[in-house]
Amino acid sequence: MKIAVLAGDGIGPEIIAQAHKVLEVLRRDGLKLELEAAPYGGAGYDAHGDPLPESTLKLARAADAVLCGAVGGPQYDALPREKRPEQGILRIRKELQLFANLRPAKVFEELASASSLKPELVAGLDILILRELTGDIYFGEPRGRRTNARGEREGYDTMLYSESEIRRIADVGFQAAMKRGKKLTSVDKENVLETSRFWREIVKDVAKKYPQVELSHMYVDNAAMQLVRNPKQFDVIVTGNMFGDILSDEASMLTGSIGMLPSASLDANNKGLYEPAHGSAPDIAGKNLANPLATILSAAMMLRYTFNEEEAAKRIEAAVKKVLGQGYRTADIYETEMRRVGTIEMGDAVVAAMQ
Ligand code: NAD
């Protein structure tokens, strides 16, 4: 199991170091993990003048999975667009053909009061939003500006999904549902959009391969409403790029803490890039303040989705739950009377809980 580790910038190296400790426990207990680090983002620019240096891309291609910290920082803001750290993210996703973005929104009972919703609505919430990442109106052609017949300027984009694009993301959705609660909700706008009518038709066809999974369909406006009204009704939600962009951010806020949210982006062979949903937090970088749990939980997703090591994934997740139960809190999730700890101490606590 070869893992390319791209720590990146800001808090990236600090939080990756904690995930590293956790994976080291599993390695010592017999999992054949091989980790190799490479510069990426601003660190890539500093080392090689490129946010995704050739040597880093080569390592990422050769690896089975990529574990990333985060990239970016104010010192890189004045660089030309193609040299900026964020270009490293966009390019690696494209180069590795990562089309499926998995964003779990899980609320540990211990943190239910951090949500802006009532604790009873979100306590124990565990849903997964699956967003198609490389198609839809974000990439459809033609797009541009023009002057219409009335002489008025207008802008336009094209919403477009091919059958193969829908089939492959639907497959990931059904397979993810099989590993979880066996319920899949496909979100579209079938009442208005031709693309959505086609989407729904193909998803229904793919469903024939997965009779164990209960499939339902929901309009995106209703899904946005249901996510805040009764989010626990969902298990896995699969949707297109634009609807997924919006719904995954909405769902992440149900948890109330950005430092707790892992993510995965997968290709057609379940090779994946795993990273926390947050950025490089330059405001707290180097201060031992960052919450490493999103990165540690991203490593758990890696074990589950790329390596099929469900037991190891559960072991990490159970350890995270245990440390929260023991009252360990980094500053971002701190409440009075809890045990306030730094990044390193939180990593150590998870390692201890795994033993
Ligand atoms: P951010 O997510 O880095 O930070 C937003 C706020 O959340 C900050 O107050 C930060 O301190 C806090 N925060 C984030 N992660 C935390 C953690 N693990 N523990 C505790 N607090 C945490 O977003 P931003 O400030 O908009 O962006 C900062 C930089 O990150 C920018 O350069 C941006 O481009 C980049 N960025 C990178 C990624 C990525 O690498 N995938 C994603 C988003 C933003």
Side-chain angles (χ1 to χ4, degrees):
M1 302 178 201
K2 284 208 172 90
I3 305 165
V5 182
L6 314 183
D9 313 315
I11 59 172
E14 297 168 68
I15 52 181
I16 281 287
Q18 309 317 310
H20 207 292
K21 286 196 267 193
V22 165
L23 291 173
E24 192 53 36
V25 174
L26 297 172
R27 212 169 63 83
R28 255 182 274 136
D29 288 351
L31 270 195
K32 296 200 163 33
L33 301 170
E34 270 177 47
L35 284 76
E36 193 174 336
Y40 165 62
Y45 175 78
D46 290 340
H48 301 285
D50 183 349
L52 183 62
E54 200 47 49
S55 51
T56 300
L57 180 58
K58 201 169 155 211
L59 179 74
R61 277 194 211 280
D64 303 306
V66 182
L67 182 63
C68 292
V71 302
Q75 66 274 44
Y76 305 111
D77 284 352
L79 289 175
R81 207 173 65 93
E82 71 279 6
K83 299 281 184 199
R84 293 192 51 164
E86 294 76 8
Q87 286 301 312
I89 309 179
L90 298 178
R91 268 176 48 209
I92 198 169
R93 282 182 187 157
K94 191 161 174 252
E95 294 283 348
L96 299 182
Q97 299 182 351
L98 306 172
F99 68 90
N101 183 232
L102 285 74
R103 290 261 298 260
K106 181 170 170 139
V107 178
F108 291 91
E109 315 262 353
E110 296 79 3
L111 297 179
S113 61
S115 173
S116 50
L117 296 190
K118 293 190 193 105
E120 63 269 26
L121 276 184
V122 294
L125 178 75
D126 183 2
I127 64 179
L128 176 69
I129 309 249
L130 174 60
R131 166 190 173 195
E132 202 287 333
L133 210 51
T134 54
D136 204 355
I137 195 163
Y138 291 179
F139 295 95
E141 297 282 350
R143 59 197 288 149
R145 307 246 186 131
R146 63 190 169 199
T147 302
N148 67 22
R150 298 187 310 279
E152 192 186 358
R153 290 194 305 148
E154 59 188 19
Y156 61 99
D157 298 275
T158 301
M159 179 175 266
L160 188 150
Y161 264 120
S162 67
E163 181 170 346
S164 59
E165 284 176 315
I166 303 170
R167 282 192 187 279
R168 67 180 186 176
I169 192 74
D171 266 318
V172 178
F174 283 105
Q175 283 161 21
M178 292 286 287
K179 290 185 179 179
R180 296 172 42 101
K182 300 197 171 57
K183 270 173 63 182
L184 181 67
T185 306
S186 169
V187 169
D188 60 37
K189 191 70 184 168
E190 192 245 17
N191 49 346
V192 180
L193 296 170
E194 193 53 43
T195 318
S196 284
R197 267 194 286 278
F198 185 55
W199 171 282
R200 197 177 277 212
E201 192 183 305
I202 302 299
V203 171
K204 279 185 185 162
D205 193 48
V206 175
K208 292 177 191 153
K209 285 196 287 179
Y210 303 94
Q212 309 91 321
V213 176
E214 182 194 323
L215 172 69
S216 60
H217 305 271
M218 193 178 274
Y219 297 141
V220 62
D221 42 346
N222 188 25
M225 197 165 71
Q226 295 300 329
L227 271 175
V228 287
R229 199 185 71 91
N230 177 19
K232 285 193 239 174
Q233 70 185 281
F234 297 110
D235 177 20
V236 181
I237 291 177
V238 63
T239 189
N241 202 345
M242 181 165 65
F243 299 154
D245 189 1
I246 300 164
L247 293 181
S248 60
D249 267 16
E250 184 189 3
S252 68
M253 278 303 101
L254 300 175
T255 70
S257 172
I258 193 156
M260 297 293 303
L261 295 166
S263 82
S265 305
L266 303 181
D267 77 357
N269 303 311
N270 284 339
K271 173 169 178 164
L273 184 147
Y274 299 84
E275 59 188 338
H278 57 72
S280 59
D283 52 334
I284 58 168
K287 296 181 178 162
N288 195 33
L289 283 174
N291 185 344
L293 295 179
T295 313
I296 290 172
L297 291 168
S298 298
M301 286 187 84
M302 175 177 77
L303 292 161
R304 170 170 298 123
Y305 289 105
T306 292
F307 297 126
N308 261 312
E309 293 286 346
E310 182 64 26
E311 217 172 285
K314 286 214 169 103
R315 187 167 165 208
I316 297 176
E317 289 162 352
V320 168
K321 189 169 165 50
K322 185 168 173 196
V323 299
L324 293 171
Q326 290 167 334
Y328 290 99
R329 299 284 187 277
T330 42
D332 57 309
I333 51 174
Y334 180 75
E335 295 161 278
T336 45
E337 292 177 26
M338 293 291 162
R339 296 157 80 165
R340 189 174 175 143
V341 291
T343 311
I344 297 169
E345 296 74 24
M346 186 60 110
D348 290 342
V350 175
V351 166
M354 285 173 76
Q355 312 291 350

